[in-house]
Amino acid sequence: MSAIAIDPLQTLKLARVFPAPRERVFRAWTEPAELMRWWGPVGFTTPSAEVDLRVGGKYRIAMRRPDGGVHFVKGTYVDVKPPERLVMTWAWEGMAGFDDFDSLVTIEFVAKGAATEIVLTHEKLPAVAAASHERGWNGTFDHFATHLGQ
């Protein structure tokens, strides 16, 4: 759960090791039924997840906040290399202050014996969005760890 860097170009890079094989971790990040069990920070739920896992395919994930409000994130897969890497555009849908930019998320799944390190790089973030995205991704990693039984 460590932030590696937020550089002046608003690139956020996080890494964390999870005690599960790389194929299992990749599947949890790419199958809608799995995503709906853990996506978003702790306290959030995921009422829907749509995934067309191929280069040029789209995704759209709903995140329900603890207060009941729902946010949608959507994008297009730019690179898909199971179980090694995902690259996707990232855009908020209908979220005031955040729905006017597209950014890029790269997720690398690195085998570490029986565990998997996720290295997440979120690029092209406006300054006003970097800190909230860092909190969101760290919270999402926490939620994912709970899902895996950590």
Side-chain angles (χ1 to χ4, degrees):
M1 173 164 80
S2 61
I4 297 171
I6 297 179
D7 68 28
L9 300 175
Q10 305 308 313
T11 294
L12 171 66
K13 190 166 187 172
L14 304 170
R16 189 170 320 174
V17 176
F18 297 92
R22 181 166 72 163
E23 290 76 12
R24 163 81 175 98
V25 172
F26 186 86
R27 188 172 54 250
W29 279 73
T30 57
E31 291 184 4
E34 285 271 345
L35 285 165
M36 290 173 62
R37 292 185 187 121
W38 66 269
W39 183 264
V42 173
F44 282 60
T45 59
T46 307
S48 67
E50 302 165 22
V51 174
D52 181 7
L53 190 63
R54 62 183 175 84
V55 173
K58 309 280 186 198
Y59 72 92
R60 184 173 184 257
I61 304 170
M63 292 184 283
R64 181 175 288 126
R65 297 186 316 257
D67 68 6
V70 178
H71 300 297
F72 290 90
V73 66
K74 64 181 180 176
T76 302
Y77 291 104
V78 177
D79 190 22
V80 177
K81 290 186 181 155
E84 301 170 16
R85 173 181 160 105
L86 293 173
V87 181
M88 56 201 178
T89 62
W90 178 273
W92 292 102
E93 182 179 298
M95 189 169 165
F98 290 96
D99 60 355
D100 57 352
F101 69 90
D102 285 333
S103 52
L104 188 69
V105 175
T106 300
I107 306 166
E108 297 170 277
F109 302 88
V110 182
K112 299 280 186 181
T116 304
E117 179 180 33
I118 292 179
V119 179
L120 183 143
T121 306
H122 196 152
E123 302 174 79
K124 302 179 183 178
L125 284 168
V128 298
S132 65
H133 280 75
E134 181 179 13
R135 284 189 307 274
W137 282 121
N138 275 313
T140 296
F141 278 5
D142 292 344
H143 203 179
F144 185 58
T146 300
H147 172 69
L148 290 175
Q150 264 185 299

